[in-house]
Amino acid sequence: MPLILLLLGCAYTVEDWWTDLARAHCDCEYDDLKRRDCVDDWMADVEASADWAACHDELAPVAREDVRAWTSDYTETCRPPASPSPQPEDPNWAEACE
């Protein structure tokens, strides 16, 4: 049982992925006082989507390492990197969540 909990705790979910992107954006757009509100607002918009309802606790369709590298590049300069944020290979990935 502890191994299962450990593995579940290490899973990178859709919620983690979208939260990482929100934090990167908000880190560059706002100071410390408004950053938390920015993330909350961003996530409220995401949480209102059908994809959130179906997928937020599913495994992310992108690699954690790719997202972390992209967000690190973004927040170092606060200019979006030349490459877009990591996206799923399958543009219809959310259809498999239900």
Side-chain angles (χ1 to χ4, degrees):
M1 180 80 117
L3 179 58
I4 291 172
L5 293 176
L6 178 63
L7 292 174
L8 290 175
C10 294
Y12 190 61
T13 65
V14 170
E15 180 176 0
D16 297 329
W17 169 38
W18 288 341
T19 301
D20 285 345
L21 295 178
R23 285 181 180 147
H25 166 75
C26 295
D27 283 353
C28 286
E29 295 295 320
Y30 297 97
D31 61 18
D32 289 336
L33 297 176
K34 294 189 179 192
R35 187 174 299 132
R36 180 176 289 159
D37 290 339
C38 173
V39 172
D40 289 346
D41 290 345
W42 180 295
M43 293 306 294
D45 288 342
V46 169
E47 290 169 6
S49 73
D51 288 349
W52 175 268
C55 302
H56 74 279
D57 59 352
E58 298 288 329
L59 291 177
V62 295
R64 173 184 284 175
E65 297 78 19
D66 294 345
V67 175
R68 290 213 173 133
W70 188 89
T71 58
S72 177
D73 288 348
Y74 180 22
T75 57
E76 280 181 19
T77 63
C78 286
R79 282 187 235 147
S83 61
S85 65
Q87 296 296 312
E89 289 182 28
D90 177 5
N92 300 314
W93 64 274
E95 292 175 4
C97 292
E98 301 173 277

